[in-house]
Amino acid sequence: MPFTWHVHDTSTGERLMDVEPVSGSWESKLNGVASGSAVFQLGGTVDVVPYRALFNVSDWSRTIVTCWNGRPVADGVIKKTDWDMDTDQITVSYDSYRTMLSRRTTFGSDGYTGHQANNYFMFTDQSGRSLANNLVWVAQQGPRAGYDLRISYGTRSESGPFDRDYRDYNGVVVEEAMQELTDSEGGPDVELRPVLSGRDVLSWELRAGNPRLSHGRVDFHLGDQHALTGIKRSRDAGRLASQVYVLGPGQERKKLWAEASRSASMGLDVIESMTDQDRQKALQQRANSLLATYRTGVEQWSMSLIASASPGLSSVYLGTVLRVFFPSGRLVSGWREFRVIGMSGSVSTDSVALTVEVV
């Protein structure tokens, strides 16, 4: 079975209609909001009535899901629709369900209470995975109806190295807090994986690593098969650093700060602000993470996977480790390992662009 597309009710998860876009793109990734679009041709033999019911809306009530062999590989809450009368085409643009977290705060069910003493959502000695689960929980604690999310998550009380204070007067957005947590030293990978039940009802599973997420291992021998194509490597030392400073809240001499450093033949400084956290441990974790990231510069690889190949997309998920053998005589040779952190594709091809990181 090739790629298929389906539209669901965002609030209930109910499958409303199978659709066939004529063009468009899809994307999924760890640790962020993915996006995409789809174009549908109306007129001719296409019955416009169902499409009118699906897309003649101006809210976030429709979600489109991209599947490979029945498995959801990407999803998107439709935020924008454009109709062209001359071509009789409708274009929908969408962001993955994680976009919901970008419109939720940590204020909780009592709303904003920054003017009161009890105005915070506070954690001490929590694991990154537990803290991610708590952030998704608080995202559903709104001051009125309509804040429920179709997300399942794990324990909210696992011990670990993280302290966080989310105070109302700092106006903390859940998605921004999740990004900061992921970017900290030892921060967890976070995926909102779309899941279809036996009745094709859509929901999402929060997968948080401790700290990295994984999903199996697949071998590719470039001398024997051609499932992987377009392999490229880039090395960028533009953000190389030997000294990192993270400046926290406070004024002048009372400002909180943290630093991390390493020995190097050339001194290179990086300064970052983190004004919404007044925990020294959080500032230090961020400084340590930045130093680890920019210790040797950034090595980036890109490659594409033929979805229908063997092994192909049926074997590859976000978090899967690819063991790739490069034949001798190349700039890189022997076995190398990469972890998949993003995937994207288009309607017109079964070639899937993989975003990977070196293991």
Side-chain angles (χ1 to χ4, degrees), residues 261-289:
S261 62
R262 64 180 179 87
S263 298
S265 59
M266 182 180 296
L268 298 169
D269 294 350
V270 168
I271 300 176
E272 182 175 293
S273 294
M274 189 176 168
T275 58
D276 62 350
Q277 280 297 325
D278 55 8
R279 292 285 190 105
Q280 186 66 41
K281 184 190 289 188
L283 298 177
Q284 190 61 57
Q285 287 169 336
R286 180 58 177 157
N288 294 344
S289 176

mmCIF file of all heavy atoms in Angstrom, residues 261-289:
data_model
loop_
_atom_site.group_PDB
_atom_site.id
_atom_site.type_symbol
_atom_site.label_atom_id
_atom_site.label_comp_id
_atom_site.label_asym_id
_atom_site.label_seq_id
_atom_site.Cartn_x
_atom_site.Cartn_y
_atom_site.Cartn_z
ATOM 1 N N SER A 261 33.270 26.017 30.585
ATOM 2 C CA SER A 261 34.441 26.289 29.756
ATOM 3 C C SER A 261 35.235 25.016 29.519
ATOM 4 O O SER A 261 35.049 23.999 30.192
ATOM 5 C CB SER A 261 35.327 27.344 30.421
ATOM 6 O OG SER A 261 35.803 26.870 31.676
ATOM 7 N N ARG A 262 36.134 25.091 28.537
ATOM 8 C CA ARG A 262 37.048 24.000 28.228
ATOM 9 C C ARG A 262 38.380 24.598 27.787
ATOM 10 O O ARG A 262 38.456 25.768 27.381
ATOM 11 C CB ARG A 262 36.486 23.119 27.107
ATOM 12 C CG ARG A 262 36.325 23.843 25.777
ATOM 13 C CD ARG A 262 35.777 22.940 24.692
ATOM 14 N NE ARG A 262 35.607 23.656 23.432
ATOM 15 C CZ ARG A 262 36.558 23.805 22.514
ATOM 16 N NH1 ARG A 262 37.768 23.291 22.723
ATOM 17 N NH2 ARG A 262 36.320 24.457 21.394
ATOM 18 N N SER A 263 39.418 23.809 27.870
ATOM 19 C CA SER A 263 40.726 24.256 27.394
ATOM 20 C C SER A 263 40.740 24.252 25.874
ATOM 21 O O SER A 263 40.234 23.325 25.236
ATOM 22 C CB SER A 263 41.830 23.332 27.923
ATOM 23 O OG SER A 263 41.868 23.359 29.335
ATOM 24 N N ALA A 264 41.303 25.298 25.277
ATOM 25 C CA ALA A 264 41.354 25.398 23.820
ATOM 26 C C ALA A 264 42.503 26.309 23.422
ATOM 27 O O ALA A 264 42.910 27.197 24.182
ATOM 28 C CB ALA A 264 40.037 25.936 23.269
ATOM 29 N N SER A 265 43.026 26.099 22.218
ATOM 30 C CA SER A 265 44.116 26.935 21.728
ATOM 31 C C SER A 265 43.627 28.312 21.314
ATOM 32 O O SER A 265 44.415 29.251 21.201
ATOM 33 C CB SER A 265 44.802 26.254 20.540
ATOM 34 O OG SER A 265 43.870 26.021 19.495
ATOM 35 N N MET A 266 42.305 28.451 21.080
ATOM 36 C CA MET A 266 41.723 29.731 20.694
ATOM 37 C C MET A 266 40.484 29.993 21.539
ATOM 38 O O MET A 266 39.563 29.173 21.564
ATOM 39 C CB MET A 266 41.354 29.723 19.208
ATOM 40 C CG MET A 266 40.772 31.038 18.703
ATOM 41 S SD MET A 266 40.365 30.966 16.939
ATOM 42 C CE MET A 266 41.998 30.732 16.242
ATOM 43 N N GLY A 267 40.458 31.109 22.249
ATOM 44 C CA GLY A 267 39.315 31.444 23.092
ATOM 45 C C GLY A 267 38.156 31.986 22.274
ATOM 46 O O GLY A 267 38.299 32.970 21.549
ATOM 47 N N LEU A 268 36.989 31.342 22.387
ATOM 48 C CA LEU A 268 35.790 31.753 21.653
ATOM 49 C C LEU A 268 34.614 31.740 22.624
ATOM 50 O O LEU A 268 34.294 30.700 23.212
ATOM 51 C CB LEU A 268 35.515 30.804 20.479
ATOM 52 C CG LEU A 268 36.601 30.738 19.397
ATOM 53 C CD1 LEU A 268 36.327 29.586 18.441
ATOM 54 C CD2 LEU A 268 36.688 32.053 18.631
ATOM 55 N N ASP A 269 33.969 32.901 22.820
ATOM 56 C CA ASP A 269 32.890 33.042 23.795
ATOM 57 C C ASP A 269 31.518 32.970 23.134
ATOM 58 O O ASP A 269 31.331 33.415 21.998
ATOM 59 C CB ASP A 269 32.987 34.390 24.519
ATOM 60 C CG ASP A 269 34.232 34.502 25.387
ATOM 61 O OD1 ASP A 269 34.908 33.473 25.570
ATOM 62 O OD2 ASP A 269 34.512 35.614 25.869
ATOM 63 N N VAL A 270 30.552 32.436 23.880
ATOM 64 C CA VAL A 270 29.140 32.463 23.505
ATOM 65 C C VAL A 270 28.351 32.938 24.713
ATOM 66 O O VAL A 270 28.578 32.467 25.833
ATOM 67 C CB VAL A 270 28.633 31.074 23.054
ATOM 68 C CG1 VAL A 270 27.112 31.057 22.964
ATOM 69 C CG2 VAL A 270 29.227 30.699 21.703
ATOM 70 N N ILE A 271 27.426 33.885 24.509
ATOM 71 C CA ILE A 271 26.575 34.397 25.582
ATOM 72 C C ILE A 271 25.124 34.169 25.202
ATOM 73 O O ILE A 271 24.718 34.443 24.067
ATOM 74 C CB ILE A 271 26.810 35.902 25.821
ATOM 75 C CG1 ILE A 271 28.266 36.166 26.201
ATOM 76 C CG2 ILE A 271 25.886 36.419 26.923
ATOM 77 C CD1 ILE A 271 28.587 37.636 26.356
ATOM 78 N N GLU A 272 24.337 33.665 26.150
ATOM 79 C CA GLU A 272 22.910 33.441 25.917
ATOM 80 C C GLU A 272 22.127 33.914 27.132
ATOM 81 O O GLU A 272 22.601 33.800 28.268
ATOM 82 C CB GLU A 272 22.633 31.956 25.656
ATOM 83 C CG GLU A 272 21.173 31.656 25.365
ATOM 84 C CD GLU A 272 20.934 30.205 24.988
ATOM 85 O OE1 GLU A 272 21.404 29.781 23.915
ATOM 86 O OE2 GLU A 272 20.266 29.496 25.769
ATOM 87 N N SER A 273 20.926 34.431 26.900
ATOM 88 C CA SER A 273 20.044 34.859 27.989
ATOM 89 C C SER A 273 18.997 33.792 28.270
ATOM 90 O O SER A 273 18.513 33.115 27.364
ATOM 91 C CB SER A 273 19.344 36.172 27.625
ATOM 92 O OG SER A 273 20.275 37.225 27.521
ATOM 93 N N MET A 274 18.639 33.664 29.543
ATOM 94 C CA MET A 274 17.617 32.706 29.980
ATOM 95 C C MET A 274 16.917 33.337 31.180
ATOM 96 O O MET A 274 17.092 32.928 32.320
ATOM 97 C CB MET A 274 18.271 31.371 30.336
ATOM 98 C CG MET A 274 17.328 30.225 30.597
ATOM 99 S SD MET A 274 18.283 28.703 30.876
ATOM 100 C CE MET A 274 17.000 27.637 31.519
ATOM 101 N N THR A 275 16.127 34.370 30.901
ATOM 102 C CA THR A 275 15.631 35.239 31.960
ATOM 103 C C THR A 275 14.387 34.722 32.673
ATOM 104 O O THR A 275 13.950 35.335 33.646
ATOM 105 C CB THR A 275 15.325 36.632 31.387
ATOM 106 O OG1 THR A 275 14.374 36.507 30.322
ATOM 107 C CG2 THR A 275 16.594 37.277 30.849
ATOM 108 N N ASP A 276 13.805 33.600 32.200
ATOM 109 C CA ASP A 276 12.581 33.119 32.843
ATOM 110 C C ASP A 276 12.849 32.001 33.847
ATOM 111 O O ASP A 276 11.916 31.379 34.341
ATOM 112 C CB ASP A 276 11.566 32.653 31.794
ATOM 113 C CG ASP A 276 12.077 31.491 30.964
ATOM 114 O OD1 ASP A 276 13.275 31.179 31.066
ATOM 115 O OD2 ASP A 276 11.275 30.902 30.216
ATOM 116 N N GLN A 277 14.120 31.710 34.147
ATOM 117 C CA GLN A 277 14.455 30.676 35.117
ATOM 118 C C GLN A 277 15.328 31.254 36.225
ATOM 119 O O GLN A 277 16.413 31.767 35.956
ATOM 120 C CB GLN A 277 15.183 29.509 34.445
ATOM 121 C CG GLN A 277 14.276 28.545 33.716
ATOM 122 C CD GLN A 277 13.305 27.854 34.658
ATOM 123 O OE1 GLN A 277 13.632 27.548 35.802
ATOM 124 N NE2 GLN A 277 12.097 27.615 34.170
ATOM 125 N N ASP A 278 14.845 31.189 37.470
ATOM 126 C CA ASP A 278 15.641 31.701 38.582
ATOM 127 C C ASP A 278 16.257 30.576 39.406
ATOM 128 O O ASP A 278 16.642 30.768 40.554
ATOM 129 C CB ASP A 278 14.811 32.624 39.474
ATOM 130 C CG ASP A 278 13.544 31.965 39.993
ATOM 131 O OD1 ASP A 278 13.383 30.741 39.790
ATOM 132 O OD2 ASP A 278 12.720 32.675 40.596
ATOM 133 N N ARG A 279 16.352 29.385 38.821
ATOM 134 C CA ARG A 279 17.044 28.263 39.449
ATOM 135 C C ARG A 279 18.469 28.187 38.899
ATOM 136 O O ARG A 279 18.669 28.049 37.694
ATOM 137 C CB ARG A 279 16.314 26.947 39.175
ATOM 138 C CG ARG A 279 14.945 26.809 39.836
ATOM 139 C CD ARG A 279 15.071 26.546 41.330
ATOM 140 N NE ARG A 279 13.791 26.190 41.918
ATOM 141 C CZ ARG A 279 13.450 24.959 42.280
ATOM 142 N NH1 ARG A 279 14.296 23.961 42.098
ATOM 143 N NH2 ARG A 279 12.277 24.719 42.812
ATOM 144 N N GLN A 280 19.458 28.245 39.785
ATOM 145 C CA GLN A 280 20.852 28.197 39.352
ATOM 146 C C GLN A 280 21.158 26.893 38.616
ATOM 147 O O GLN A 280 21.920 26.874 37.643
ATOM 148 C CB GLN A 280 21.775 28.333 40.565
ATOM 149 C CG GLN A 280 23.254 28.446 40.208
ATOM 150 C CD GLN A 280 23.577 29.723 39.456
ATOM 151 O OE1 GLN A 280 23.056 30.778 39.784
ATOM 152 N NE2 GLN A 280 24.430 29.624 38.446
ATOM 153 N N LYS A 281 20.544 25.791 39.064
ATOM 154 C CA LYS A 281 20.797 24.506 38.421
ATOM 155 C C LYS A 281 20.359 24.529 36.962
ATOM 156 O O LYS A 281 21.045 23.992 36.081
ATOM 157 C CB LYS A 281 20.075 23.384 39.164
ATOM 158 C CG LYS A 281 20.376 21.990 38.603
ATOM 159 C CD LYS A 281 19.466 20.918 39.183
ATOM 160 C CE LYS A 281 19.776 20.637 40.624
ATOM 161 N NZ LYS A 281 19.013 19.446 41.129
ATOM 162 N N ALA A 282 19.224 25.164 36.681
ATOM 163 C CA ALA A 282 18.733 25.233 35.305
ATOM 164 C C ALA A 282 19.684 26.039 34.424
ATOM 165 O O ALA A 282 19.960 25.666 33.273
ATOM 166 C CB ALA A 282 17.336 25.849 35.274
ATOM 167 N N LEU A 283 20.207 27.146 34.950
ATOM 168 C CA LEU A 283 21.157 27.957 34.185
ATOM 169 C C LEU A 283 22.433 27.168 33.898
ATOM 170 O O LEU A 283 22.973 27.211 32.784
ATOM 171 C CB LEU A 283 21.492 29.234 34.953
ATOM 172 C CG LEU A 283 20.331 30.198 35.239
ATOM 173 C CD1 LEU A 283 20.826 31.379 36.066
ATOM 174 C CD2 LEU A 283 19.689 30.690 33.956
ATOM 175 N N GLN A 284 22.916 26.423 34.896
ATOM 176 C CA GLN A 284 24.147 25.661 34.708
ATOM 177 C C GLN A 284 23.951 24.524 33.710
ATOM 178 O O GLN A 284 24.831 24.246 32.880
ATOM 179 C CB GLN A 284 24.630 25.102 36.048
ATOM 180 C CG GLN A 284 26.027 24.498 35.986
ATOM 181 C CD GLN A 284 27.064 25.535 35.586
ATOM 182 O OE1 GLN A 284 27.209 26.570 36.227
ATOM 183 N NE2 GLN A 284 27.790 25.269 34.495
ATOM 184 N N GLN A 285 22.797 23.862 33.759
ATOM 185 C CA GLN A 285 22.525 22.796 32.796
ATOM 186 C C GLN A 285 22.513 23.336 31.376
ATOM 187 O O GLN A 285 23.009 22.691 30.447
ATOM 188 C CB GLN A 285 21.191 22.121 33.128
ATOM 189 C CG GLN A 285 21.244 21.238 34.363
ATOM 190 C CD GLN A 285 19.870 20.792 34.823
ATOM 191 O OE1 GLN A 285 18.865 21.443 34.539
ATOM 192 N NE2 GLN A 285 19.818 19.688 35.540
ATOM 193 N N ARG A 286 21.964 24.522 31.196
ATOM 194 C CA ARG A 286 21.940 25.119 29.863
ATOM 195 C C ARG A 286 23.353 25.474 29.394
ATOM 196 O O ARG A 286 23.713 25.232 28.239
ATOM 197 C CB ARG A 286 21.058 26.369 29.875
ATOM 198 C CG ARG A 286 20.956 27.075 28.533
ATOM 199 C CD ARG A 286 20.410 26.169 27.461
ATOM 200 N NE ARG A 286 20.241 26.860 26.197
ATOM 201 C CZ ARG A 286 20.210 26.266 25.021
ATOM 202 N NH1 ARG A 286 20.330 24.944 24.943
ATOM 203 N NH2 ARG A 286 20.042 26.958 23.915
ATOM 204 N N ALA A 287 24.169 26.029 30.287
ATOM 205 C CA ALA A 287 25.548 26.364 29.923
ATOM 206 C C ALA A 287 26.329 25.111 29.539
ATOM 207 O O ALA A 287 27.063 25.092 28.543
ATOM 208 C CB ALA A 287 26.230 27.089 31.081
ATOM 209 N N ASN A 288 26.177 24.047 30.311
ATOM 210 C CA ASN A 288 26.874 22.793 30.007
ATOM 211 C C ASN A 288 26.431 22.229 28.662
ATOM 212 O O ASN A 288 27.240 21.702 27.890
ATOM 213 C CB ASN A 288 26.617 21.767 31.107
ATOM 214 C CG ASN A 288 27.223 22.167 32.439
ATOM 215 O OD1 ASN A 288 28.081 23.046 32.504
ATOM 216 N ND2 ASN A 288 26.776 21.539 33.510
ATOM 217 N N SER A 289 25.127 22.331 28.376
ATOM 218 C CA SER A 289 24.597 21.818 27.114
ATOM 219 C C SER A 289 25.152 22.597 25.924
ATOM 220 O O SER A 289 25.536 22.013 24.904
ATOM 221 C CB SER A 289 23.070 21.892 27.125
ATOM 222 O OG SER A 289 22.529 21.492 25.886
#
